[in-house]
Amino acid sequence: MLTLLGLFAGVTPAHAAEDDPYRISGNVQLDGEPLAGVVLVVTGPGGEQEVETDAEGQWRVGVPERGEEYVVTLDESTLPDGIAVVDPEDDTPNAKEVEVGAGGRVSVNFFIGEGERSVTGFADQLVQRVVQGLSFGLMLALAAVGLSLVFGTTGISNFAHGEMVTFGAVIALFLVGPATLALPVWLGFPLAVILGGGLGLILDMILWRPLRRKRVGAVQLMIVSIGLSLAMRYVFQYFIGGGTSQLPFASEPKIPLFGVVQLSVIDMVSIAISIVVIVAFALWLTFSRLGKATRAISDNPSLASASGIDVDYVVRVVWVVAGGLAALSGVLYAYYRPGIKWDMGAQVLLLMFAAVTLGGLGTALGALVGSIIVGLLVEVSTLFGVPSDLKYATALVVLIVILLFRPQGILGRRERIG
């Protein structure tokens, strides 16, 4: 006997989120009896939210966008024994795609009843999360490496680096979006990366280089970067609004690869691009003349200048490289979220700083290692009871713990501290 599981708008449990203007809500019942403690996960613009039914079988979550697609997934492992979500015409009956309409509310129907359910084991979930964590970590590393280079060569803690990430995604949307230039992605995305490098060059020419020449202190430079961050963020909001926009192919289906690991073509391409760019950057930093000069300045700017290295020129190149890497990271992050939003870079700014600090201040390899660790922690933490909306905080807690025992970071050198 199948029982209809209705997700009806208008239900208002005590634990409902009130901060967002739109709602996805529901009432979980079996044969007319409410089911408490059933976990549902809502993913889409704004991230992932996990909610649990109350004693009346009711739940509700607030979502930030209207006219956007969300996926509501019922965790079958939280249903009573012998009960499952069943639908002969659907391969994944416990996951439904919904769109919040003009009324700001949505209804979804599941069917639950007696049946066998597919329960993914902990080991399989761990493998999937590790793969997702590596993907996120590699994407984060592209931005964190640039942030680390800027700090190592100039001493600037650039709080506007998150907006440089957003800039890459916004420019990519302008170049390839169907309502704008509609360029092919193979042309539009590289142009977005080039323009990101151009932004880094412009910021250095009109802002950072004059301040360096005036010998402005590190604290003042940090405050300037915070002001620049706020200004850029609200410029983005002015031009693209407060909603979420999607790049082409953002809704590609997942493809089973091995075991339970499922990735879309976009996911696989993103991982491949991240690896290729990071390897190419490492080779440039290690073997090229400019790369060696960059490392020399990062170690000792005064000695590098006395050795005949043109510090201003190298720093300018660093800003261009950092801007290009941030723009590429923004494009990939727009697919990972998924979606482009005016404050998307600010959402991962602290994770970038955590990765740089964890790996070792001023070291590009340390930023890479720190980013991989942060990515894994963010994704794997949810398997150990950490709520999805707090998973980013996990990386920051681990950062604090590690720095208590190794203040210079994993690959940092002790003489750089203090």
Side-chain angles (χ1 to χ4, degrees), residues 33-304:
E33 296 295 326
L35 295 178
V38 177
V39 174
L40 298 101
V41 178
V42 180
T43 57
E48 180 181 283
Q49 300 184 67
E50 185 176 288
V51 64
E52 186 175 299
T53 57
D54 61 15
E56 302 298 323
Q58 300 174 355
W59 66 274
R60 186 176 75 180
V61 296
V63 294
E65 304 294 338
R66 183 176 59 186
E68 299 289 346
E69 288 189 353
Y70 294 84
V71 177
V72 181
T73 304
L74 187 145
D75 185 353
E76 292 185 295
S77 64
T78 59
L79 291 173
D81 293 337
I83 302 301
V85 182
V86 292
D87 188 345
E89 299 181 357
D90 193 344
D91 294 333
T92 56
N94 67 318
K96 300 291 184 182
E97 291 186 0
V98 299
E99 180 176 333
V100 179
R105 301 180 186 274
V106 69
S107 297
V108 181
N109 292 324
F110 291 90
F111 289 93
I112 63 173
E114 295 181 1
E116 297 182 0
R117 60 176 180 259
S118 175
V119 180
T120 305
F122 178 82
D124 291 336
Q125 294 182 56
L126 180 61
V127 172
Q128 177 69 29
R129 291 290 184 176
V130 166
V131 173
Q132 292 176 346
L134 288 173
S135 176
F136 180 57
L138 289 170
M139 179 275 300
L140 188 68
L142 293 173
V145 164
L147 181 64
S148 179
L149 275 182
V150 168
F151 177 82
T153 54
T154 66
I156 298 175
S157 298
N158 183 20
F159 279 80
H161 202 72
E163 276 54 58
M164 297 175 75
V165 171
T166 307
F167 177 83
V170 171
I171 289 298
L173 178 65
F174 174 76
L175 293 173
V176 306
T180 50
L181 296 184
L183 296 176
V185 294
W186 60 265
L187 177 60
F189 290 168
L191 282 176
V193 175
I194 293 172
L195 291 174
L199 174 66
L201 176 62
I202 292 171
L203 289 177
D204 182 59
M205 291 178 61
I206 67 175
L207 181 61
W208 302 119
R209 186 182 181 189
L211 291 176
R212 286 198 308 272
R213 290 188 169 182
K214 294 180 182 296
R215 300 186 181 277
V216 175
V219 175
Q220 291 93 326
L221 290 174
M222 181 183 68
I223 294 173
V224 170
S225 75
I226 294 174
L228 177 62
S229 170
L230 293 173
M232 293 177 66
R233 196 178 309 167
Y234 289 105
V235 167
F236 295 145
Q237 186 185 32
Y238 175 80
F239 281 104
I240 68 173
T244 301
S245 303
Q246 300 292 342
L247 290 174
F249 314 115
S251 58
E252 289 288 304
K254 302 288 185 180
I255 300 174
L257 296 181
F258 54 91
V260 297
V261 176
Q262 295 185 347
L263 295 172
S264 68
V265 174
I266 293 295
D267 294 333
M268 291 184 279
V269 171
S270 296
I271 293 174
I273 290 175
S274 298
I275 293 174
V276 169
V277 171
I278 289 172
V279 170
F281 172 79
L283 294 175
W284 173 81
L285 194 63
T286 304
F287 298 108
S288 73
R289 186 175 180 180
L290 265 176
K292 293 177 181 178
T294 301
R295 289 187 288 122
I297 294 173
S298 182
D299 285 337
N300 193 322
S302 299
L303 181 59

